[in-house]
Amino acid sequence: MSNSSTRSTGISRRVNSLENKGHHRMNGSRSGKGNISHNDAYLYALRVAYLTYLLQPRARRTQHVPALQPPAQRSSTTVNDLMKDFSLIRDNKSTRFPHGFMSELEKRLTGVLMGKERKPEYNDAAVKRTFAAFLNAFTEQSFKKRMEKDRRVEDLVLIFFSNATKELQKGKAPGDDTWKLMVDRHLALFIRLISLVLKDHDWTRERPELASRLTTLESKLLAHDQDLTTGTSRNGGSGGTSVEVTVPLTYEVKDMPLVQVVARIFGLRNSQVQSDINKHKALWTEKAALSDLKIYQAYLNLNSKWTLKSEDFDLDEGYDAWRKAEIQDLSQMMLAIVQSNPELAKDTSASSLPQFHRQTSASDSTETMYPESFKRTLEHPERSSFVLEQSIDTKGLGSSEQSPDGSAEDNAVFAYIPSEPRVYYRFILAEALSHDLNDANLQNTGATTESSSGKLLSKESTELLNEISVRWRIPLVSRIVLFLDVFHEKFIEQEITLDTLDAAFNFAKEPLPETRKGSDFMATSLFDRKKWSLTDVALNQQILSDLHDALMRDLYATMQQCYEQKPPNIGPIMYVLEHHVCGDPSFTRSSEDLDTFTGALYEGLRQKAHEMYKTLLEQHVPQEQNSWDFFHVIELGKAVTSLAQKIQKRYKKNPEIMGVNPLTALVETMLPLYAEDARDIVSRILQLVQEKDEDVPIEDGFQLYQELVEIRRLHSQSLPNVPFAFHIEDNLAGFVWRWIQTTESTIRDWVDQAIKQDKFHVRTDSTQQIPTEEQRHSVSVIDIFSSFNQSIDRIVQLNWDNDLQYAKFMTALAKVVGVGIARYCDIVEQQFSKEMDRLTPEQEIATNQTKQEKWLQLAKDTWNNKEKIEPFQFFPESFVKLNNIDFAAQQLDKLENEVNVDACAAVIQSHALPVTQRQRKVNNYVFTIKIVEAEDLKACDMNGFSDPYVVLGDEYQKRLAKTRIVYRNLNPRWEETVDITTQGPLNIIATVWDWDVMGDHDCVGRASLKLDPSHFGDFLPREYWLDLDSQGRILLRVSMEGERDDIQFYFGKAFRILKRTERDMTRTITDKLSAYIHHCLSRRTLRGLIQKGLTISTVSNYFNRNRPQQTVQAPSEIEVTNALKPLLAYFDDNFAIMNQTLTSTSMVMVMTRIWKEVLVTIESLLVPPLSDKPSQQRQLNQQELDVVFKWLQYLFDFFLAVDEETGEANGVPLDILRSPKYFDITTLNFFYFESTDGLIRTSERMASATAARQQSQRNRLSAPASLAAPAFGGAAGLVGLPSARRSKSIMLSRNLGTMKKAKEEKWKEAQADPNDDMILRILRMRPEAERYLKDRSRQKERLAAAAAAEMIVRQSLMAGGGRMMGSLPRR
């Protein structure tokens, strides 16, 4: 228990014992109303007010006396006599001037000399002359510095006296003493000026004793002559004198301010009050007041019951402090009465009274000697009835004249003090308060005005109560407690407001003004409860208890309205409770009472919340069920949420009131009710809609979900352990699926409309403006991805609170996005192909020629050795389409990151059933068919070549895919990929066609292949060399992957479609340049460079192909370079056109593809394709080989595009230029001219090393890539052996990151596993190596078959149980 609680308990015991004794003393009575009458209270208040009038300082007036002038006399004969009053003051500080006084005095003296002083007595010429002499001495630096340091009155007065004496005796006869009186006058005028300076700057408050002494000194100086000017200048020059005389009392009520206050409080007329004063004037005298004080002092010394006794305090320390202060105040009050009426001093022995001086000037009234313990609210002390002139010694003021004994104590009668002072004081206080509260023109006391806006007592009532409390000896603590008791009673009776009660407490708690030394008992006892009397403690506790009960009732009633639109403010109630009641150390309360109130308040708020919810339900939900709609549930939820947010904001700073949270009571009541009602209403609405075979709008479902989620969030925050009664996601997921289905059904139309409105131009403001990287794609790709993002954002904005359902939603949307991207790529590629396959002007002319004209033109071109090679004119729209595809890949990668595909896949996987528990179902399988190349095709054109392309179709003659056209080639290489989706086995037919400018296209040959998912259970790629039904064969690389309802699969499929479209478009652009590349890097160009000066027609060369070549001189570097200039110029022209439209990424991609075409062309110059048959291609000689490698180096530098100044590469990145094929070509120089036997031995060593490497890596799931690519056909080509290297699966293409990583691994693998393919290709040009080629082909087939079988066994063992992996996988 705290110290304050312990102290309060001890005080309470003393209070209880006091109440049981039943004492009824003068100062120890309780504050009850008692049996006093209204008239008695009025008479006692009246006599105190009348006494104040008697004791007030007398007013003075100036009166002319026409008597003869007496001989000149001085009021003081010496300087010491003048300063005698100052020497009596013991406090040295009070005799010093304030800081800054000297400068202000100098200004005032200057004003006198300049005639600015308003008072007429300072306008005399003699006065100005005296003041001027003093000012000269005063402004002397040494004297002024000393005065500013010491600030003593004596020094200043003496220096003025000295200078005035010197100035006024000038020109006077030796026996003329009239100037001495003028010295007194001028000195008095100087002292008055000093007093005016002190008063104007409010320094009299700090130096009250100094101001009083200066006034006294001035009076002494004017004792014999009050005329401050010459006698002939006043009163008409009669020569008389003017003196100040005291104005006699009129004894009329109009001159008695406090008496008028009493009349107003008690509702009496002045005439009636005047009658009562006249009736009791003989008894209500100053002598009677002095007698009361002496009697009270005597009883105080006797420890009588008529005063407070030691038993009335809890501690003797408190009683001793009160008694000491009481004795001091009594002496001051008696002295003040004697001073106001000196005649009373005759009835008191000289030893009984302290030294005092009579008031001689009305100006002295500014310094009242009211005891400081009673100056709490009094701001106008001039109305006080107690005035002292100096510090006094009250030891001699005793009670020797009256020392009543014990018998006289019981019959004591006071003239001014009632028998029950506390009761009478409380009664008068209540009457004054009632009067002031009803007074519309109330003037608050100064303290009240500063501390509170409440309406308390007026200044006049406060002055009256101060006089009564002082005269009746009521301590300040008792006055404050009684003050609060009256206000508390008025509040309980609802006569005052809570603001007024708060103002009363603030008024009572304000600190006291600074008190004099030795008079600090009341200041300390006000805040030290141990020094309070037991009666005050008991009354204060009762006040606090009553107020607590009343305020708690008000608080409960106010809190019942907290959910209303404009509830009453509980702040004032809580403030008074916390700061004035509960915060008081005298207040005690039990925790049980607080718990009881808290429980009652909480239950009351729950009931009010329930009523409020019923009101909202009636407002927003109709009674008729057929009229129910989601809108009603949404509006009801918004109303509940709005109310909860309003309550939360309303009580944000103070969420709990007396242990009860209004928001908690609200949500604990409303939210469960709303959850149940929302569940029932939504279920009923869906049931009714289903019966009517209708659908609720999707947006209504979304709005309902968002509102319900918000309410559920509030529910979880407020009731974390209570489940929400409505399973929102399970009931409203159908709306999301409907929205996704709607999006899927419209996605193709979105794409079609976006493409239809797009002109595929760069997005610049003008045609002359160079587009930036961001402006090089058109609006269609922006529009479709804006649609994709809006579709996904619509689901994201729902904040769906079910991870599994959300992941499934994203999976379905990923499928929709894939459909849209596939549609966009298909249409854009078709338009791109149409633009790229358009006829040139020469071709259009050729279509109109007859067959004979064509033969003649061909013969003419052949005779002139003219190749029909013209640069292709690209459309900017075609490049914009390629930019769009590249931009789409970037946006899809960004979308993949935003959706967080991996996290969605992980969520679905974590909720998936084990493999053994999954139901078997029909799956779709995606076959990826890569049309690689063909060889030894039939020539269908007159020039001995064909323009082949491949068409894939199914057994029902449905076209599945079509490759590009490779012009003038019987060994074409397409490297194009197509995806075919099937649920079972499918027969495909590959038809090779020859493209013709006019007429029907010729069929080169056909081949078929059966795609059976059961043959691809290991999901490894297989290669098939298919023999055509006419001549030659075609290579297909086939892999299978199960189509899955997986978000990673859908994104991977979309990425692969984009990259495949981008690759095909890039290859189409390259094909337009490849004809000229082949022309410039052909054997014909090489022969022409080597055999310079030798001219043989093209026809002759054709028929004499095997004739030995003539030995010629090797070409120079300039000649080799000049041979490439047409090609480099061709590249520059085309790259310049591309650079105007293509983005930097697309530009690098196109250049990379062209570089690959250059490498393939150079490779075809050096060696024939890989096969098990000998080739008719002739091996180059050393000069030709050197020229080819010089070309390679020149082209390498051209594509690298190194800046000569900065050394920075601006072309194709170096790592792309140095591709595996580039290294294969550079290694040819080491084996090209080696003997056939040496090549065979080298090939055998590489084959042995490959076999050893395969043996050491048997723990791997896939065999080396070099052994897994049967390139010679035969049995391996027929059965389609699996490739050991995993193909590019869809899962490895799900974003740009995985695609880049797969490409890097492919390059590393190609560089890490060298093979003998280049040696075998060289051996094809050696007829003597035919047998070795066949043997090596069979060896590779055996190794590939063994590796495939081993892999199948290994996978079966890893799967467990020896089960083969050829069966279809389960999902």
Side-chain angles (χ1 to χ4, degrees):
M1 183 180 293
S2 64
N3 296 332
S4 61
S5 301
T6 306
R7 183 167 63 251
S8 299
T9 304
I11 294 175
S12 298
R13 288 196 297 267
R14 294 288 303 274
V15 170
N16 294 335
S17 64
L18 177 62
E19 292 176 349
N20 294 333
K21 290 180 182 180
H23 293 304
H24 202 68
R25 296 188 301 272
M26 183 177 67
N27 280 327
S29 61
R30 293 298 301 270
S31 61
K33 294 182 179 180
N35 296 321
I36 64 174
S37 64
H38 184 274
N39 188 61
D40 291 343
Y42 155 69
L43 291 177
Y44 274 106
L46 180 60
R47 65 186 71 182
V48 172
Y50 176 70
L51 179 61
T52 303
Y53 172 71
L54 295 179
L55 299 180
Q56 69 179 353
R58 300 293 189 268
R60 300 185 179 214
R61 65 186 178 189
T62 303
Q63 181 176 345
H64 177 69
V65 180
L68 295 176
Q69 292 186 359
Q73 254 184 345
R74 286 184 51 87
S75 60
S76 297
T77 58
T78 65
V79 176
N80 291 333
D81 292 337
L82 289 173
M83 306 307 300
K84 183 177 181 181
D85 291 339
F86 290 91
S87 63
L88 294 176
I89 302 176
R90 290 172 294 178
D91 186 4
N92 293 330
K93 181 179 180 181
S94 63
T95 64
R96 294 175 182 267
F97 290 113
H99 288 286
F101 173 80
M102 298 303 167
S103 60
E104 296 298 329
L105 179 62
E106 183 179 353
K107 295 179 182 179
R108 200 65 173 261
L109 291 171
T110 304
V112 171
L113 298 181
M114 296 176 66
K116 295 181 179 180
E117 189 63 40
R118 291 174 294 179
K119 295 185 177 298
E121 54 267 27
Y122 292 98
N123 294 327
D124 184 71
V127 173
K128 291 184 178 181
R129 189 173 67 253
T130 305
F131 275 50
F134 168 75
L135 183 60
N136 292 331
F138 179 75
T139 54
E140 198 272 326
Q141 291 299 325
S142 59
F143 176 76
K144 187 176 180 180
K145 185 176 181 181
R146 185 174 71 254
M147 287 304 302
E148 289 178 352
K149 178 180 178 182
D150 297 338
R151 295 178 285 112
R152 295 199 312 170
V153 179
E154 297 90 330
D155 296 341
L156 196 64
V157 173
L158 291 177
I159 194 64
F160 184 89
F161 179 81
S162 175
N163 282 275
T165 301
K166 294 178 182 179
E167 187 66 27
L168 291 176
Q169 71 179 358
K170 290 181 180 179
K172 300 294 182 181
D176 188 3
D177 293 336
T178 57
W179 60 272
K180 295 183 179 180
L181 183 58
M182 294 301 297
V183 171
D184 292 346
R185 291 177 182 175
H186 290 192
L187 182 59
L189 197 58
F190 174 70
I191 292 174
R192 179 173 294 184
L193 186 67
I194 292 175
S195 300
L196 290 175
V197 173
L198 292 173
K199 186 176 181 181
D200 290 345
H201 292 81
D202 203 22
W203 283 326
T204 55
R205 291 179 178 270
E206 300 178 3
R207 302 291 193 275
E209 299 296 339
L210 176 60
S212 177
R213 302 285 76 75
L214 290 174
T215 303
T216 303
L217 180 58
E218 179 186 347
S219 301
K220 290 180 179 181
L221 291 171
L222 299 176
H224 300 281
D225 189 357
Q226 299 296 329
D227 191 359
L228 297 181
T229 60
T230 60
T232 59
S233 63
R234 292 177 56 90
N235 301 311
S238 60
T241 60
S242 297
V243 296
E244 290 185 355
V245 297
T246 302
V247 179
L249 299 177
T250 62
Y251 298 99
E252 294 180 1
V253 174
K254 64 181 181 64
D255 297 329
M256 305 177 186
L258 289 188
V259 172
Q260 297 177 21
V261 173
V262 173
R264 288 195 297 269
I265 290 175
F266 287 92
L268 300 176
R269 295 188 300 271
N270 288 347
S271 59
Q272 184 177 351
V273 176
Q274 185 70 58
S275 176
D276 292 335
I277 290 177
N278 296 335
K279 180 179 178 181
H280 300 90
K281 182 167 59 173
L283 299 177
W284 298 348
T285 62
E286 299 97 321
K287 184 176 181 180
L290 182 61
S291 177
D292 283 357
L293 293 179
K294 292 182 178 181
I295 295 173
Y296 181 84
Q297 186 182 41
Y299 287 140
L300 178 63
N301 294 331
L302 295 174
N303 200 17
S304 170
K305 68 179 182 179
W306 294 101
T307 64
L308 292 176
K309 301 174 61 177
S310 60
E311 291 81 359
D312 294 324
F313 291 86
D314 187 48
L315 300 175
D316 293 338
E317 178 186 354
Y319 172 73
D320 294 340
W322 168 81
R323 188 174 182 277
K324 180 180 179 181
E326 194 76 356
I327 292 174
Q328 183 178 357
D329 291 341
L330 286 173
S331 300
Q332 297 282 353
M333 292 172 63
M334 285 187 287
L335 182 59
I337 294 176
V338 173
Q339 185 179 9
S340 65
N341 190 356
E343 298 297 331
L344 295 178
K346 299 178 180 179
D347 298 334
T348 305
S349 61
S351 61
S352 300
L353 292 176
Q355 179 182 359
F356 72 94
H357 295 274
R358 184 175 178 177
Q359 286 282 6
T360 59
S361 174
S363 62
D364 286 344
S365 62
T366 59
E367 178 60 32
T368 66
M369 296 310 297
Y370 218 143
E372 290 294 334
S373 58
F374 308 114
K375 291 177 62 179
R376 176 165 176 76
T377 60
L378 195 60
E379 287 196 344
H380 297 279
E382 63 273 9
R383 296 183 180 179
S384 174
S385 57
F386 306 100
V387 179
L388 299 180
E389 285 191 348
Q390 63 181 24
S391 300
I392 59 174
D393 185 6
T394 59
K395 295 180 180 180
L397 188 58
S399 55
S400 57
E401 296 183 6
Q402 292 188 16
S403 299
D405 55 11
S407 60
E409 179 183 340
D410 296 333
N411 299 322
V413 177
F414 295 94
Y416 291 95
I417 304 176
S419 58
E420 295 287 346
R422 289 171 60 95
V423 178
Y424 276 86
Y425 179 81
R426 186 188 185 283
F427 184 90
I428 298 172
L429 174 61
E431 291 295 324
L433 179 60
S434 299
H435 172 269
D436 290 343
L437 291 177
N438 296 326
D439 187 1
N441 299 322
L442 169 65
Q443 181 184 3
N444 291 342
T445 60
T448 307
T449 304
E450 294 176 1
S451 62
S452 173
S453 60
K455 187 177 183 182
L456 302 181
L457 294 172
S458 65
K459 183 166 62 175
E460 293 79 6
S461 299
T462 303
E463 293 176 2
L464 175 63
L465 292 172
N466 285 337
E467 290 291 341
I468 292 175
S469 62
V470 171
R471 196 58 57 190
W472 293 354
R473 309 309 305 141
I474 297 177
L476 178 61
V477 174
S478 300
R479 292 165 53 194
I480 293 176
V481 174
L482 292 173
F483 175 82
L484 295 177
D485 184 32
V486 172
F487 274 88
H488 121 270
E489 181 183 44
K490 295 289 185 183
F491 174 75
I492 293 177
E493 295 176 356
Q494 299 184 355
E495 295 183 17
I496 62 174
T497 63
L498 194 62
D499 291 338
T500 305
L501 180 64
D502 175 52
F505 271 102
N506 291 332
F507 179 75
K509 291 181 178 180
E510 286 182 357
L512 292 172
E514 294 184 3
T515 60
R516 295 180 321 190
K517 295 181 180 180
S519 302
D520 57 348
F521 162 71
M522 301 312 289
T524 57
S525 64
L526 179 61
F527 302 101
D528 189 357
R529 299 296 176 92
K530 293 185 295 184
K531 295 182 179 181
W532 284 23
S533 67
L534 297 177
T535 304
D536 292 333
V537 172
L539 180 57
N540 187 54
Q541 291 177 346
Q542 185 64 38
I543 293 171
L544 297 176
S545 178
D546 294 345
L547 283 177
H548 180 266
D549 295 341
L551 291 173
M552 294 297 275
R553 288 192 297 270
D554 292 347
L555 178 62
Y556 181 87
T558 305
M559 287 299 297
Q560 296 304 302
Q561 307 175 53
C562 69
Y563 300 140
E564 296 181 0
Q565 186 70 21
K566 293 183 178 180
N569 187 13
I570 65 169
I573 300 177
M574 295 302 301
Y575 181 83
V576 174
L577 270 174
E578 294 176 0
H579 292 79
H580 300 321
V581 179
C582 300
D584 195 287
S586 300
F587 177 75
T588 57
R589 61 179 176 180
S590 62
S591 58
E592 292 80 6
D593 295 339
L594 179 60
D595 294 341
T596 302
F597 176 81
T598 301
L601 179 59
Y602 180 76
E603 291 301 324
L605 291 180
R606 288 287 301 267
Q607 183 64 30
K608 286 294 181 181
H610 196 278
E611 296 175 0
M612 182 65 69
Y613 178 76
K614 286 184 177 180
T615 303
L616 296 177
L617 186 65
E618 294 174 356
Q619 291 177 356
H620 298 286
V621 180
Q623 295 293 332
E624 181 62 34
Q625 294 186 6
N626 292 329
S627 302
W628 285 355
D629 191 46
F630 281 1
F631 173 76
H632 300 134
V633 183
I634 293 173
E635 290 301 313
L636 179 60
K638 288 182 178 179
V640 172
T641 305
S642 176
L643 181 59
Q645 292 175 348
K646 185 182 299 182
I647 298 302
Q648 183 181 22
K649 183 178 180 180
R650 183 177 295 169
Y651 298 100
K652 182 178 182 180
K653 294 183 178 180
N654 299 298
E656 286 193 359
I657 292 91
M658 304 304 290
V660 177
N661 191 324
L663 178 63
T664 303
L666 178 72
V667 297
E668 287 183 356
T669 304
M670 280 193 173
L671 295 187
L673 293 174
Y674 175 79
E676 296 175 1
D677 290 343
R679 177 194 60 198
D680 297 339
I681 295 174
V682 170
S683 300
R684 181 57 180 165
I685 292 173
L686 295 178
Q687 181 182 357
L688 293 174
V689 170
Q690 186 177 5
E691 292 174 357
K692 297 178 182 179
D693 195 18
E694 297 176 352
D695 288 329
V696 179
I698 296 176
E699 286 300 324
D700 290 354
F702 286 173
Q703 292 179 10
L704 176 63
Y705 176 79
Q706 291 176 332
E707 189 62 37
L708 291 175
V709 166
E710 178 65 19
I711 294 179
R712 185 175 61 185
R713 181 185 64 81
L714 294 176
H715 185 279
S716 61
Q717 291 178 354
S718 306
L719 308 172
N721 299 323
V722 179
F724 196 65
F726 191 180
H727 298 285
I728 307 174
E729 284 73 20
D730 294 340
N731 287 272
L732 301 181
F735 290 93
V736 183
W737 288 117
R738 283 174 51 199
W739 186 83
I740 294 175
Q741 292 172 2
T742 304
T743 304
E744 185 176 9
S745 63
T746 57
I747 191 67
R748 290 180 176 83
D749 184 60
W750 291 354
V751 175
D752 293 345
Q753 292 298 323
I755 295 176
K756 184 178 180 180
Q757 298 175 6
D758 192 5
K759 296 182 179 180
F760 293 97
H761 293 164
V762 293
R763 296 176 293 109
T764 56
D765 297 333
S766 62
T767 56
Q768 292 78 17
Q769 182 180 354
I770 299 177
T772 62
E773 288 289 318
E774 292 76 13
Q775 295 175 336
R776 293 178 182 249
H777 52 268
S778 61
V779 296
S780 60
V781 68
I782 299 177
D783 292 341
I784 64 168
F785 271 94
S786 177
S787 301
F788 296 158
N789 288 321
Q790 290 176 4
S791 302
I792 293 176
D793 289 343
R794 191 68 185 91
I795 303 299
V796 173
Q797 290 171 0
L798 292 176
N799 294 320
W800 201 263
D801 198 15
N802 185 305
D803 293 341
L804 179 60
Q805 291 181 347
Y806 177 80
K808 291 182 178 180
F809 295 156
M810 291 295 106
T811 301
L813 284 177
K815 183 178 179 181
V816 173
V817 170
V819 171
I821 288 177
R823 179 67 175 173
Y824 184 79
C825 291
D826 185 38
I827 297 177
V828 169
E829 189 174 12
Q830 289 178 13
Q831 295 181 359
F832 180 83
S833 299
K834 186 177 180 180
E835 295 167 357
M836 300 299 291
D837 292 341
R838 72 184 187 278
L839 297 177
T840 63
E842 293 79 4
Q843 291 173 338
E844 292 180 356
I845 295 174
T847 56
N848 298 324
Q849 292 177 344
T850 62
K851 191 173 184 179
Q852 184 179 3
E853 290 174 343
K854 292 180 180 180
W855 277 105
L856 292 175
Q857 184 66 35
L858 179 62
K860 183 178 178 180
D861 293 340
T862 303
W863 178 262
N864 294 327
N865 196 19
K866 178 180 178 182
E867 293 285 349
K868 298 175 61 175
I869 304 298
E870 297 291 340
F872 186 79
Q873 300 298 324
F874 294 100
F875 288 163
E877 292 83 355
S878 302
F879 294 146
V880 172
K881 291 181 176 66
L882 180 59
N883 294 338
N884 286 358
I885 299 299
D886 179 63
F887 179 77
Q890 299 175 14
Q891 292 299 308
L892 186 63
D893 185 68
K894 181 179 179 181
L895 188 63
E896 192 259 358
N897 292 329
E898 292 176 352
V899 172
N900 200 351
V901 170
D902 295 337
C904 292
V907 170
I908 295 177
Q909 183 64 30
S910 64
H911 290 82
L913 295 174
V915 178
T916 56
Q917 298 181 11
R918 299 178 188 174
Q919 295 182 356
R920 192 183 188 91
K921 62 179 181 180
V922 178
N923 291 322
N924 292 332
Y925 298 94
V926 179
F927 282 93
T928 301
I929 302 175
K930 185 173 185 179
I931 306 172
V932 183
E933 61 180 338
E935 64 178 25
D936 295 334
L937 297 181
K938 180 179 65 174
C940 298
D941 294 336
M942 292 180 293
N943 57 5
F945 294 98
S946 294
D947 301 321
Y949 67 91
V950 181
V951 174
L952 289 183
D954 60 9
E955 50 191 320
Y956 304 105
Q957 298 182 354
K958 177 183 179 182
R959 175 181 286 192
L960 302 177
K962 174 182 174 294
T963 68
R964 75 187 192 282
I965 302 170
V966 179
Y967 296 97
R968 295 172 54 84
N969 203 321
L970 299 179
N971 298 293
R973 191 172 187 89
W974 292 281
E975 294 283 353
E976 294 191 19
T977 306
V978 62
D979 288 339
I980 299 176
T981 303
T982 180
Q983 294 182 353
L986 177 67
N987 291 320
I988 62 170
I989 299 173
T991 304
V992 182
W993 294 89
D994 172 54
W995 178 83
D996 287 329
V997 176
M998 56 179 294
D1000 297 332
H1001 298 181
D1002 300 325
C1003 180
V1004 179
R1006 291 183 179 88
S1008 63
L1009 176 66
K1010 182 178 182 180
L1011 301 179
D1012 192 347
S1014 61
H1015 296 164
F1016 292 85
D1018 54 1
F1019 297 101
L1020 292 176
R1022 288 168 169 77
E1023 293 184 347
Y1024 297 92
W1025 275 104
L1026 303 178
D1027 293 328
L1028 301 178
D1029 56 1
S1030 58
Q1031 174 185 334
R1033 57 183 181 173
I1034 184 171
L1035 175 61
L1036 302 181
R1037 184 175 294 128
V1038 183
S1039 63
M1040 186 194 75
E1041 187 170 4
E1043 187 173 82
R1044 295 181 291 174
D1045 187 19
D1046 182 271
I1047 188 171
Q1048 292 177 329
F1049 177 84
Y1050 291 132
F1051 268 95
K1053 187 176 180 180
F1055 267 111
R1056 193 155 73 167
I1057 290 174
L1058 285 170
K1059 300 308 290 185
R1060 185 172 296 166
T1061 303
E1062 184 180 58
R1063 185 169 56 251
D1064 292 344
M1065 294 172 69
T1066 304
R1067 184 181 291 115
T1068 302
I1069 295 174
T1070 307
D1071 289 344
K1072 296 302 178 181
L1073 306 178
S1074 61
Y1076 198 73
I1077 295 174
H1078 296 161
H1079 168 71
C1080 295
L1081 301 179
S1082 62
R1083 289 202 171 210
R1084 177 180 298 173
T1085 304
L1086 186 60
R1087 268 197 314 273
L1089 183 63
I1090 297 297
Q1091 300 174 357
K1092 54 182 180 299
L1094 181 64
T1095 58
I1096 303 176
S1097 65
T1098 305
V1099 178
S1100 299
N1101 287 336
Y1102 178 76
F1103 290 103
N1104 298 281
R1105 180 178 302 175
N1106 296 323
R1107 189 176 63 184
Q1109 302 274 336
Q1110 295 182 3
T1111 302
V1112 294
Q1113 185 180 359
S1116 64
E1117 292 289 334
I1118 297 178
E1119 293 174 339
V1120 174
T1121 305
N1122 291 335
L1124 280 182
K1125 280 186 177 180
L1127 179 61
L1128 299 181
Y1130 182 71
F1131 283 158
D1132 284 335
D1133 294 340
N1134 285 278
F1135 289 166
I1137 297 174
M1138 296 177 186
N1139 194 42
Q1140 293 177 359
T1141 307
L1142 287 178
T1143 62
S1144 57
T1145 305
S1146 300
M1147 188 68 187
V1148 172
M1149 183 171 54
V1150 172
M1151 293 178 66
T1152 301
R1153 184 63 194 176
I1154 295 174
W1155 169 247
K1156 291 181 180 179
E1157 189 67 26
V1158 169
L1159 293 179
V1160 171
T1161 304
I1162 292 179
E1163 184 184 42
S1164 65
L1165 286 175
L1166 298 174
V1167 292
L1170 185 64
S1171 177
D1172 59 346
K1173 299 178 182 180
S1175 175
Q1176 298 297 323
Q1177 183 174 336
R1178 180 184 59 83
Q1179 187 172 346
L1180 300 179
N1181 58 33
Q1182 185 64 50
Q1183 290 182 352
E1184 294 172 334
L1185 185 66
D1186 292 341
V1187 170
V1188 170
F1189 275 102
K1190 288 179 180 179
W1191 284 351
L1192 179 61
Q1193 184 61 43
Y1194 292 156
L1195 290 170
F1196 182 91
D1197 296 337
F1198 175 81
F1199 279 89
L1200 186 60
V1202 177
D1203 192 331
E1204 296 179 356
E1205 295 181 358
T1206 62
E1208 181 181 357
N1210 299 319
V1212 181
L1214 189 62
D1215 56 340
I1216 295 179
L1217 292 176
R1218 292 177 178 175
S1219 62
K1221 183 174 288 295
Y1222 174 79
F1223 283 106
D1224 289 342
I1225 294 174
T1226 55
T1227 56
L1228 278 175
N1229 201 21
F1230 298 102
F1231 306 105
Y1232 202 74
F1233 295 109
E1234 191 175 345
S1235 64
T1236 302
D1237 294 338
L1239 291 175
I1240 293 176
R1241 286 193 297 270
T1242 303
S1243 175
E1244 289 176 345
R1245 285 197 304 269
M1246 287 187 176
S1248 300
T1250 300
R1253 213 167 34 247
Q1254 180 181 8
Q1255 183 66 26
S1256 64
Q1257 296 177 353
R1258 290 184 181 278
N1259 57 338
R1260 298 177 58 187
L1261 295 180
S1262 60
S1266 60
L1267 299 182
F1272 302 119
L1278 293 177
V1279 301
L1281 290 178
S1283 174
R1285 181 173 56 84
R1286 186 68 180 263
S1287 65
K1288 298 178 182 178
S1289 67
I1290 292 177
M1291 299 303 293
L1292 294 178
S1293 304
R1294 62 180 182 270
N1295 56 44
L1296 295 179
T1298 57
M1299 296 173 70
K1300 182 178 180 181
K1301 184 177 180 181
K1303 183 179 292 185
E1304 292 175 354
E1305 291 179 353
K1306 176 183 176 182
W1307 285 15
K1308 290 180 181 179
E1309 185 178 355
Q1311 295 177 2
D1313 295 330
N1315 53 64
D1316 59 343
D1317 287 351
M1318 279 299 178
I1319 295 178
L1320 295 175
R1321 296 174 70 174
I1322 295 174
L1323 291 175
R1324 285 195 63 195
M1325 296 183 293
R1326 312 284 178 89
E1328 61 272 19
E1330 179 179 2
R1331 183 176 182 83
Y1332 177 76
L1333 290 174
K1334 293 182 178 179
D1335 294 340
R1336 185 73 178 91
S1337 174
R1338 287 193 294 268
Q1339 180 185 7
K1340 297 185 82 172
E1341 291 173 6
R1342 289 194 300 271
L1343 291 174
E1350 182 181 357
M1351 183 174 296
I1352 293 174
V1353 173
R1354 187 182 300 276
Q1355 291 178 348
S1356 177
L1357 293 176
M1358 292 178 64
R1363 180 167 54 88
M1364 299 299 291
M1365 295 300 293
S1367 60
L1368 293 176
R1370 294 187 179 184
R1371 292 182 57 81

